Amino acid sequence: MSFEEIKSRLESAGQAHVLKYWSELSSQERETFLAELSQLELGELQEHCRAAAEAAKSQSTSDDLLDHRMEPVPPEFIGSVKKTDQNTLTAWENEGFLQISQNRVAVLLLAGGQGTRLGVPYPKGMYSVGLPSGKTLYQIQAERIQRVQQLANQKHNSKCTVPWYIMTSEFTLEPTEKFFKDNNFFGLNPSDVIMFEQRMIPAVSFDGKVILEKKGKLAMAPDGNGGLYQALVDNKVLEDMEKRGVEYLHVYCVDNILVKMADPAFIGFCVQKGAECGAKVVEKAYPAEPVGVVCRVAGVYQVVEYSEIRPETAELRAPGGELLYTAGNICNHFFTRDFLKHIAQNCRGQLKQHVALKKVPYVDEEGNQVKPTKANGIKMEKFVFDVFQFSRKFVAFEVLREEEFSPLKNADGVPLDTPTTARRSLLAQHYRWALAAGACFLNSSGQAIPPKHSLARDEEPPAVCEISPLLSYFGEGLESMLKGKELTSPLVLDGNQA
């Protein structure tokens, strides 16, 4: 598209101000800026800017809370690790392993965000929380895929593959590709790690104008993890899944250090229930915990954010004394490929746009770059869970927080969701596994450390033990290695000890 065409379209959209500094740009800067502007859906730009400004306005005045239309997920559509008998759990797990062994299961990682809140300039998946092994989130997840493949192969005498689809953004694609190449894809076949990019959309000022980040660059942001459905189309990902025979997807966020990749029990539960869409949930820790709740609103399933209900609704109790709205969303989902195809073809345009008010660096009227101290811009985001409403058969699967959910969102210095809490969660889990396998821990003086089978959420385990995912996916297979053994803390059990 030529400069004159782009200029004309920007003028039509009321956004000609972005070319204010065109005369000051070098030929190289002009070429780069023109390429960026060419990628915009200029026909949709005017509506995007209008909608963003309107949404920000209504957000500050709306009192349309959802309390009176909410109801919990009916019990018949909930599976639970805690409340289900062992035979049923085993049956779900066996079903999941069968599907994995037949190459019908893939995992899809949402990894478009940077580690800004962690204080690092690179993608979150490359972050190390300080484990004794030094492993990053990406490595831990890659090794869990290898182990679940191995377990399925052993059970069914197969040679299966769990493809790993990774949705990145403009910010994270290049460093993620390089990181995987530099680390030999952590032992996975490179052809089974498929990276693709989600769209970027412009940040908008409160008066509906696209924000210039630099004289020759727009302020852009990924379109939220709900940008997945557009990205599946843009990058022909569904076609790749079909070629590979993939029928079921486990979709998750990068920052959960305890995520069970392609969890056989979750997959098996959803398959046996005939679900096309499912969500893992954890019991809320307390009524006002700032997590979304999976529930029904006016008869359709959705995630209701904590800000969308009154405190008294969050406090409501069921007859058994537990919270009525207790199903905390952890961004850990099951989808059939057919359901994703339906969403991609028919529902993308119906997804809700969520408003995020942000501090967006910009160029002022004099051409100076400014870093604002308060929110000056609107970033519109879609959320991956907003497709629940289109599901004809939705299920929830409740898991134990201490076993499956410990997100990494903040730098150390705050109480929750930090490198320290993530590291503690993983090491506490591995300590429990070692004790269950019959291990005994010694301190550096050779004295036995009294075992502690139950730990508080903020309590460090008495002994440090890290177990490679290549050895154990979820605590299985450790007895032959650990039973009756005296182990000196700190201990790292790696894949070489298999």
Side-chain angles (χ1 to χ4, degrees), residues 24 83 163 235 256 269 323 367 374 444 471 478 494:
E24 299 179 27
K83 299 167 188 169
N235 299 281
N256 179 11
F269 166 72
L323 289 173
K374 61 181 183 179
S444 56
L471 289 181
L478 296 174
D494 62 32

Side-chain angles (χ1 to χ4, degrees), residues 20 31 42 101 194 200 335 344 441:
K20 178 176 180 178
E31 191 178 322
L42 291 173
S101 74
I194 305 96
M200 304 287 284
F335 299 114
F441 285 97

Side-chain angles (χ1 to χ4, degrees), residues 2 85 167 250 276 281 341 390-391:
S2 71
D85 65 88
M167 185 176 80
H250 175 211
E276 56 185 10
V281 297
K341 187 175 178 182
F390 304 115
S391 172

Side-chain angles (χ1 to χ4, degrees), residues 174-195:
E174 195 176 316
T176 300
E177 284 180 332
K178 183 176 186 306
F179 190 67
F180 271 74
K181 285 173 185 168
D182 290 348
N183 288 279
N184 297 312
F185 289 81
F186 304 103
L188 293 168
N189 186 332
S191 66
D192 296 325
V193 180
I194 305 96
M195 298 183 197

Side-chain angles (χ1 to χ4, degrees), residues 211-459:
I211 295 175
L212 266 182
E213 182 183 311
K214 297 176 183 171
K215 290 181 179 180
K217 180 165 177 51
L218 304 181
M220 303 287 283
D223 54 354
N225 56 29
L228 168 67
Y229 308 107
Q230 181 67 52
L232 292 176
V233 174
D234 292 344
N235 299 281
K236 295 187 165 38
V237 176
L238 292 169
E239 290 87 337
D240 184 82
M241 291 175 184
E242 188 170 8
K243 279 183 204 161
R244 293 169 183 265
V246 170
E247 297 292 338
Y248 307 114
L249 270 292
H250 175 211
V251 178
Y252 70 100
C253 278
V254 69
D255 59 9
N256 179 11
I257 198 169
L258 298 181
V259 64
K260 291 178 73 175
M261 316 285 292
D263 177 10
F266 181 41
I267 299 290
F269 166 72
C270 292
V271 169
Q272 289 199 351
K273 289 289 184 183
E276 56 185 10
C277 180
K280 272 193 182 184
V281 297
V282 296
E283 189 177 336
K284 282 182 71 174
Y286 52 94
E289 185 182 13
V291 295
V293 172
V294 178
C295 62
R296 286 203 300 200
V297 177
V300 298
Y301 290 100
Q302 71 177 71
V303 174
V304 173
E305 294 298 331
Y306 63 96
S307 58
E308 294 178 310
I309 57 174
R310 293 181 175 86
E312 52 267 34
T313 301
E315 297 271 1
L316 289 174
R317 299 276 169 178
E322 69 276 12
L323 289 173
L324 185 63
Y325 296 106
T326 188
N329 175 51
I330 60 172
C331 197
N332 198 314
H333 308 311
F334 166 93
F335 299 114
T336 65
R337 180 173 54 80
D338 283 345
F339 178 69
L340 290 178
K341 187 175 178 182
H342 169 68
I343 296 298
Q345 290 177 347
N346 305 302
C347 306
R348 276 179 293 137
Q350 300 173 51
L351 290 183
K352 180 181 176 182
Q353 293 270 14
H354 298 265
V355 175
L357 304 182
K358 302 281 189 178
K359 291 182 276 194
V360 182
Y362 67 98
V363 175
D364 68 13
E365 290 299 315
E366 283 74 48
N368 303 311
Q369 280 200 270
V370 180
K371 280 195 172 181
T373 55
K374 61 181 183 179
N376 65 313
I378 308 155
K379 291 184 179 179
M380 301 293 281
E381 300 175 320
K382 293 174 183 173
F383 294 157
V384 68
F385 53 69
D386 280 334
V387 298
F388 292 177
Q389 61 181 307
F390 304 115
S391 172
R392 288 165 298 182
K393 184 67 182 288
F394 175 86
V395 294
F397 191 67
E398 186 183 57
V399 296
L400 299 174
R401 184 189 294 253
E402 63 269 25
E403 298 292 355
E404 296 204 36
F405 185 55
S406 184
L408 176 63
K409 296 189 180 298
N410 307 306
D412 278 322
V414 297
L416 295 174
D417 304 341
T418 65
T420 294
T421 60
R423 180 177 65 249
R424 182 190 295 140
S425 296
L426 189 71
L427 293 178
Q429 182 185 64
H430 291 186
Y431 172 74
R432 291 192 298 272
W433 290 357
L435 290 186
C440 168
F441 285 97
L442 307 177
N443 62 24
S444 56
S445 305
Q447 298 168 315
I449 301 172
K452 198 161 187 182
H453 294 274
S454 181
L455 298 168
R457 194 175 172 191
D458 59 353
E459 186 178 2

